[in-house]
Amino acid sequence: MQQEQASETAPQLTLHQAQAEVDSSIQALGGYWPPLANLARLFEECGELARAVNQAHGAKLVKQGEAPADAREELGDVLYVLLVLANSLDIDAAAALDAILKKVRDRAAGPIQTHQGEH
């Protein structure tokens, strides 16, 4: 997996810290939108990320005079809005991630699947 290093002066945030920082920024901007509006924002940002990935790795051509989409920036937008949605639903994102990681680890440690394509 390719990773870009964060600035050496920028401390790494835990997921809890990031969720709290997102909350502070949303409060400073006037508060949360309703959860369905936040979900719509998330899908919009996912579409922008898809465009960036498609431009870099797929068939989508960058239009003349258009700057290529920045996948790193778009992924950041997706993560930000995902934490906005988690906050608006009062979900601890770190606990949700821990639960799914445990589920995946348990699945990976289980018996080997014999059917092709089964996950």
Side-chain angles (χ1 to χ4, degrees):
M1 180 184 322
Q2 184 180 4
Q3 292 180 330
E4 292 189 33
Q5 296 297 320
S7 169
E8 291 181 22
T9 59
Q12 296 293 309
L13 294 176
T14 67
L15 196 48
H16 282 122
Q17 290 168 329
Q19 198 164 354
E21 196 164 318
V22 165
D23 181 63
S24 293
S25 69
I26 292 296
Q27 296 300 342
L29 293 169
Y32 287 90
W33 293 351
L36 282 175
N38 290 326
L39 183 60
R41 274 184 71 199
L42 178 60
F43 285 133
E44 178 184 342
E45 296 298 346
C46 286
E48 292 174 12
L49 175 59
R51 179 180 181 87
V53 171
N54 198 12
Q55 285 178 344
H57 304 282
K60 182 69 176 169
L61 299 176
V62 178
K63 295 176 185 172
Q64 187 174 5
E66 175 187 44
D70 181 350
R72 182 177 181 198
E73 181 179 334
E74 299 304 343
L75 182 62
D77 290 345
V78 168
L79 291 170
Y80 179 86
V81 176
L82 185 62
L83 293 179
V84 168
L85 180 61
N87 287 347
S88 73
L89 295 171
D90 198 28
I91 293 173
D92 179 334
L97 182 59
D98 284 345
I100 192 64
L101 288 174
K102 180 188 181 315
K103 184 171 137 181
V104 170
R105 281 191 302 269
D106 290 348
R107 186 181 305 148
I112 296 175
Q113 300 294 324
T114 57
H115 300 306
Q116 193 175 32
E118 194 172 309
H119 296 274

